[in-house]
Amino acid sequence: MPKALPVLDDISPICCAPLSSTPDFPLDDAVRLAVRLKAMADPARLRLIAYMLNQPNQEACTCDLAPAVGLSEATVSHHLKTLEKAGLVSKERRGMNVHYAVESPAIRALGVAIHLDAPAALDPTDCSA
């Protein structure tokens, strides 16, 4: 059974150098990055993030998210809680509804951390590279 990653108290966006820029990636940075990547590593969570990114203010109510991804509200709430614990979304209660918003700096930081400089000649639609 795989070893569980630690739960973080720090939900601020990671601020580490790209993996390709340092051969000695600090353990603390590696743990913070791994926790966030693990939270994103689920098809339902990726679909939730994608849906919210395409909404006004990059946010949505759980009542809209469940039908958008074809899951129950309870299942969506579970996935959103995981994303929130990793600092990738935030929530706000408005009356009877809970609205979740993408934490763009946190998502952007993930991209920066795993960015690899690719030669300009590569076709961006070719996933075999």
Side-chain angles (χ1 to χ4, degrees):
M1 182 170 201
K3 184 177 178 183
L5 291 171
V7 176
L8 296 180
D9 291 331
D10 176 18
I11 60 170
S12 61
I14 57 170
C15 295
C16 58
L19 294 173
S20 61
S21 70
T22 176
D24 183 26
F25 196 63
L27 179 59
D28 290 345
D29 288 346
V31 169
R32 284 194 292 276
L33 179 59
V35 167
R36 285 161 175 91
L37 289 173
K38 186 174 181 179
M40 290 283 290
D42 182 276
R45 294 179 200 145
L46 290 171
R47 292 181 69 212
L48 290 167
I49 293 286
Y51 182 84
M52 286 185 283
L53 284 171
N54 287 285
Q55 299 304 306
N57 300 323
Q58 298 182 337
E59 67 176 39
C61 174
T62 52
C63 58
D64 295 328
L65 287 166
V69 296
L71 298 171
S72 71
E73 283 193 38
T75 300
V76 167
S77 292
H78 162 75
H79 287 300
L80 290 167
K81 183 176 180 181
T82 300
L83 291 168
E84 182 186 22
K85 282 183 180 180
L88 301 172
V89 300
S90 58
K91 71 178 179 180
E92 178 184 342
R93 179 169 290 283
R94 298 180 194 158
M96 297 296 291
N97 296 318
V98 177
H99 291 256
Y100 283 84
V102 173
E103 290 295 325
S104 297
I107 302 293
R108 197 170 293 113
L110 290 177
V112 168
I114 62 174
H115 177 74
L116 299 175
D117 291 328
L122 289 179
D123 179 1
T125 61
D126 181 9
C127 295
S128 64

